[in-house]
Amino acid sequence: MPELVYTPLEDIDKIHAELRTGFQSGKLKPIAYRKYQLLQLAYLVKDNSKRLEEALAKDLGRPPLEGHFLEISATLTEVTNTYCNVAKWAKPEKPGFSLNWTVMRPIVYKVPKGVVLIISPFNYPMYLALGPLAAALAAGNAAVLKPSESSPAMSSLLAELIPKYLDSDLVRVVNGAVPESTKLLDLQWDHIMYTGGYRVAKIVAAAAAKYLTPLTLELGGKSPVIIDPDCDLAMAARRILWGKVVNAGQTCVAPDYILVPRSFQDKFVAALKSAYESFYPGPEGPSAPEAYSRIITPQAFKRIKGLLDNTKGSVVFGGETDEASKFIAPTAVRDVKEGDSLMSEEIFGPVLPIVPVENVDEAIAFVNAHDHPLALYVFSQNPEFKAKVFNNTQSGAAVANETVIHTAAEGLPFGGVGTSGYGAHTGKYGFDTFTHFRASLDSSSWIDKILGFRYPPYTKAKLKASLKLLPRLPARPAGPPSATARSKWWGKWFFLAFVVAIAGGLTKRLKTSSRSS
Ligand code: NAD
């Protein structure tokens, strides 16, 4: 695997200018050419899947199964889905019929934004780089991809392969760390998509603001899990633990902490423990070859170990660490309280704190007292429990009885809210992110027979004509909706009481008349 060569700073202006020329050439205007580039991208992945798998293993110690399931096949699915749908997504859209406007042939053209910058992170260094790249190309943009310097094997492989498969006047890879990223951010882009942590996101947002560049921020945060004792416990434990151990917890939507009723904690911990034993049955446990990923850098290892060393909770299983191989065993910690080291920041590692609460109301209050997470998980068989949690919280995604895989579900947006980010991608959401929706009308001369009143000189007759266009409002509301609903409710009871009274009166009269006859 070649060493990561940083792009010379003095080349970056030239790359930017070449991409601008490539975009302006109009090469990507025909959908057929976009599809050609997308198919090339798909073949880049297919032809080199072994090397990509090796790069993931080198950077993150990724077991082949995780490499294939979470990156190689997920990327191929994303690119293929984009390839198959780009023609449909790019079609101009007519708005619904409107008496006032239809005659002017309103239409929305889907046009590319221009030359875009994609800054991707180390943790899914292929899926989060090539997925957004596919979306940018599908929308007709030229793009610079800036992969993470923390995953050097993948970043250098992308720098080698992309020029072999994609046109270099349309796509370029810029490798490097802070100076190269800073240089990139000094330039004007037509859209920036940044995936990573919130601290750097603020630097990116400030740089984007300089040119009023539209920005998508795909960030992270602490994604909670709320447990209902009325859940399929073995399945819940399995899926939560999988969501945490996959990529050694370095997943933006990994379950970060568990909120469990205090009286149910023992049962939940026992189920989690048995899931752990079933995942790593051999004597070597998770340190067996190709069983489990490693932490990306020594600094990240130290940070996660520091959080674990300082917890006041009790370790249930795991806790083993090895600095030399950047190994941290999957670790569950029970009886964790607010204010604990494990609750101080996004863990982004394989440590799972369990926080006991009284009930679902306290769990909801706990979630709402923190930043909006990227994902919120609930494990329950009870529709009312799920609805209560979802209806009373905010998060990027709200997922019941599953973890992590919702990010790859076709047709769903992948994005955050609040500090977990803004904007979204994957599938059509990615296409739309890199697309400008260009509004258009084509108005005939005869329209002035109707709209001629708009032209000066303004007269009373023209004002009268203009007032004819005022929309008709629905009837004035009787009150706020809840009050209206209440009055309807009373109305129903009143009607029922009225019917009963009439019926009662009639029966009485009938009885009296039959007695008297
Ligand atoms: P990272 O260290 O790989 O950094 C991300 C990118 O930012 C890299 O390309 C890096 O070169 C660049 N960068 C670093 N400093 C910069 C600077 N000063 N200016 C411009 N760019 C700079 O990854 P990270 O930030 O540690 O990523 C982890 C975070 O990303 C976690 O919070 C995680 O939850 C989040 N994340 C979010 C998603 C999502 O889709 N929402 C996906 C993956 C990761």
Side-chain angles (χ1 to χ4, degrees):
M1 203 67 69
E3 281 309 301
L4 181 60
V5 178
Y6 285 10
T7 306
L9 284 173
E10 57 278 17
D11 288 1
I12 292 176
D13 280 320
K14 198 165 153 261
I15 291 170
H16 182 256
E18 284 169 8
L19 288 175
R20 178 75 53 204
T21 309
F23 172 69
Q24 282 167 351
S25 73
K27 215 171 168 184
L28 273 179
K29 277 194 179 150
I31 300 298
Y33 207 84
R34 299 183 199 180
K35 289 186 79 169
Y36 161 64
Q37 291 288 291
L38 288 168
L39 205 51
Q40 286 288 101
L41 186 54
Y43 275 96
L44 178 158
V45 177
K46 187 167 188 290
D47 297 345
N48 299 284
S49 65
K50 191 70 201 158
R51 293 186 69 197
L52 291 161
E53 182 193 311
E54 285 163 8
L56 291 165
K58 197 165 177 202
D59 285 332
L60 288 146
R62 278 276 182 85
L65 187 144
E66 282 187 19
H68 275 277
F69 180 48
L70 299 171
E71 302 248 21
I72 297 172
S73 110
T75 308
L76 262 185
T77 307
E78 177 68 8
V79 178
T80 313
N81 180 37
T82 305
Y83 170 87
C84 293
N85 287 293
V86 56
K88 186 172 77 191
W89 295 338
K91 269 205 183 115
E93 258 171 45
K94 282 189 193 165
F97 175 81
S98 149
L99 193 59
N100 291 344
W101 298 101
T102 296
V103 289
M104 291 189 211
R105 297 182 284 268
I107 195 153
V108 181
Y109 293 110
K110 318 280 186 71
V111 298
K113 287 188 172 171
V115 184
V116 304
L117 172 63
I118 297 164
I119 304 179
S120 57
F122 71 80
N123 63 330
Y124 288 86
M126 178 184 171
Y127 180 66
L128 294 173
L130 301 188
L133 179 61
L137 285 169
N141 302 279
V144 160
L145 176 62
K146 160 64 188 71
S148 177
E149 69 279 21
S150 301
S151 47
M154 179 59 76
S155 299
S156 62
L157 186 56
L158 292 178
E160 177 203 322
L161 296 177
I162 283 181
K164 291 184 183 158
Y165 283 81
L166 301 175
D167 293 5
S168 292
D169 58 345
L170 298 177
V171 180
R172 296 290 273 278
V173 175
V174 168
N175 267 319
V178 175
E180 292 73 16
S181 302
T182 308
K183 173 72 196 164
L184 283 168
L185 290 172
D186 278 343
L187 300 171
Q188 185 165 8
W189 304 92
D190 299 308
H191 192 99
I192 300 174
M193 178 180 278
Y194 170 78
T195 307
Y198 76 95
R199 286 189 194 92
V200 173
K202 289 181 183 175
I203 298 172
V204 176
K210 201 167 53 185
Y211 296 108
L212 301 179
T213 303
L215 177 64
T216 304
L217 292 179
E218 296 284 341
L219 313 179
K222 290 180 88 62
S223 294
V225 183
I226 297 181
I227 302 289
D228 176 7
D230 177 16
C231 65
D232 179 338
L233 185 55
M235 178 271 273
R238 206 165 49 237
R239 292 186 184 171
I240 293 167
L241 188 65
W242 176 76
K244 192 64 174 180
V245 301
V246 80
N247 204 24
Q250 299 161 107
T251 303
C252 53
V253 285
D256 191 275
Y257 64 96
I258 317 281
L259 294 164
V260 63
R262 194 161 276 115
S263 56
F264 195 64
Q265 187 181 211
D266 288 346
K267 270 193 176 165
F268 178 74
V269 164
L272 207 58
K273 216 169 166 182
S274 83
Y276 179 70
E277 281 153 12
S278 75
F279 281 8
Y280 306 107
E284 290 172 279
S287 54
E290 301 192 345
Y292 177 63
S293 295
R294 297 295 184 269
I295 303 304
I296 189 76
T297 57
Q299 298 87 309
F301 173 89
K302 281 202 183 82
R303 183 189 61 80
I304 302 163
K305 187 169 182 308
L307 296 178
L308 186 55
D309 289 346
N310 288 315
T311 181
K312 301 272 185 297
S314 319
V315 171
V316 174
F317 58 76
E320 304 85 7
T321 61
D322 174 47
E323 190 163 2
S325 59
K326 294 175 281 152
F327 170 85
I328 299 180
T331 303
V333 184
R334 62 174 291 164
D335 291 311
V336 172
K337 295 193 180 80
E338 177 71 305
D340 193 89
S341 58
L342 294 173
M343 297 307 292
S344 63
E345 61 183 45
E346 179 183 2
I347 295 173
F348 215 54
V351 184
L352 191 54
I354 300 159
V355 181
V357 287
E358 264 331 294
N359 51 33
V360 64
D361 295 310
E362 195 183 325
I364 290 170
F366 193 99
V367 170
N368 288 336
H370 295 81
D371 288 336
H372 301 328
L374 187 56
L376 171 72
Y377 301 111
V378 54
F379 280 83
S380 174
Q381 302 296 329
N382 179 350
E384 280 163 24
F385 187 98
K386 289 181 264 190
K388 181 168 186 175
V389 173
F390 290 172
N391 291 340
N392 291 289
T393 51
Q394 281 176 277
S395 59
V399 178
N401 300 315
E402 200 41 274
T403 63
V404 174
I405 56 173
H406 62 281
T407 52
E410 275 172 38
L412 294 188
F414 179 16
V417 59
T419 53
S420 55
Y422 49 77
H425 69 120
T426 72
K428 183 167 186 300
Y429 291 94
F431 175 90
D432 286 353
T433 287
F434 290 109
T435 294
H436 169 58
F437 291 81
R438 194 178 195 194
S440 184
L441 288 179
D442 182 359
S443 182
S444 308
S445 334
W446 64 263
I447 300 287
D448 278 355
K449 291 201 179 9
I450 303 163
L451 286 183
F453 64 77
R454 65 186 145 154
Y455 303 124
Y458 299 143
T459 60
K460 286 225 159 62
K462 284 180 177 177
L463 176 63
K464 210 170 153 197
S466 82
L467 293 176
K468 283 193 185 138
L469 288 182
L470 280 179
R472 281 177 63 145
L473 298 185
R476 192 177 296 278
S482 54
T484 317
R486 233 178 288 135
S487 72
K488 273 189 188 155
W489 185 79
W490 278 112
K492 268 185 205 151
W493 279 108
F494 181 77
F495 180 72
L496 200 67
F498 180 74
V499 171
V500 170
I502 296 281
L506 271 178
T507 331
K508 217 172 172 183
R509 279 186 70 174
L510 277 174
K511 275 186 188 159
T512 332
S513 62
S514 67
R515 241 183 270 133
S516 57
S517 59

